[in-house]
Amino acid sequence: MTLERDHISHLLADLLAAPLLKFPKKGERLVCTTDRGVYAVYGADGGVEHVGNTPRGKDGLLGRLQDHLNGNSSYTRAVHGGDGACLREGYAYRCLVVEDARTRVLLEALAVGTLCPRHLGTWFS
């Protein structure tokens, strides 16, 4: 158990050290891997708004981030009224490829608990 916990902690450090990439402007394409993984979305003010993973979907991280841009996610519906296009205005993301499903879920949970994204629980109020 300790080895797994240490591994997940190291993966969180890797996620936080990953490049901070801006969402593309209108007319530009999102460039990201189609591998599965964990990601964090940063607001225009630099604070973490959302942490997620790719439990399903054929396009992995690219598909999930596109879902957010297109307003097809609970995050964009709850926080941005379904207007994912607002992410093109100064929002950014970090992502880390994680192939193993259990590891993805554990990393997402640790990232949520550590980064305290602003949207957490907004759809329950």
Side-chain angles (χ1 to χ4, degrees):
M1 190 61 123
T2 300
L3 290 176
E4 184 178 50
R5 189 172 33 241
D6 290 346
H7 177 63
I8 301 302
S9 293
H10 283 99
L11 288 175
L12 178 60
D14 291 345
L15 174 63
L16 296 176
L20 185 62
L21 305 168
K22 296 275 188 187
F23 279 97
K25 296 287 185 192
K26 186 175 181 176
E28 297 176 355
R29 293 186 53 134
L30 179 67
V31 177
C32 188
T33 181
T34 57
D35 292 329
R36 293 176 187 251
V38 176
Y39 61 91
V41 175
Y42 292 78
D45 65 357
V48 176
E49 274 202 3
H50 177 67
V51 173
N53 85 73
T54 56
R56 58 193 168 281
K58 64 181 174 106
D59 293 325
L61 288 161
L62 174 64
R64 195 66 190 125
L65 293 170
Q66 284 177 326
D67 285 346
H68 296 319
L69 278 174
N70 294 329
N72 296 326
S73 69
S74 59
Y75 155 61
T76 52
R77 284 189 296 273
V79 177
H80 300 291
D83 179 19
C86 72
L87 298 178
R88 297 181 183 278
E89 303 302 322
Y91 284 70
Y93 63 93
R94 296 181 199 278
C95 57
L96 183 69
V97 172
V98 180
E99 293 298 330
D100 178 68
R102 176 179 170 80
T103 303
R104 275 195 311 272
V105 170
L106 290 171
L107 176 55
E108 178 188 25
L110 181 58
V112 166
T114 302
L115 301 175
C116 302
R118 282 179 264 182
H119 89 285
L120 194 60
T122 56
W123 54 86
F124 296 114
S125 26

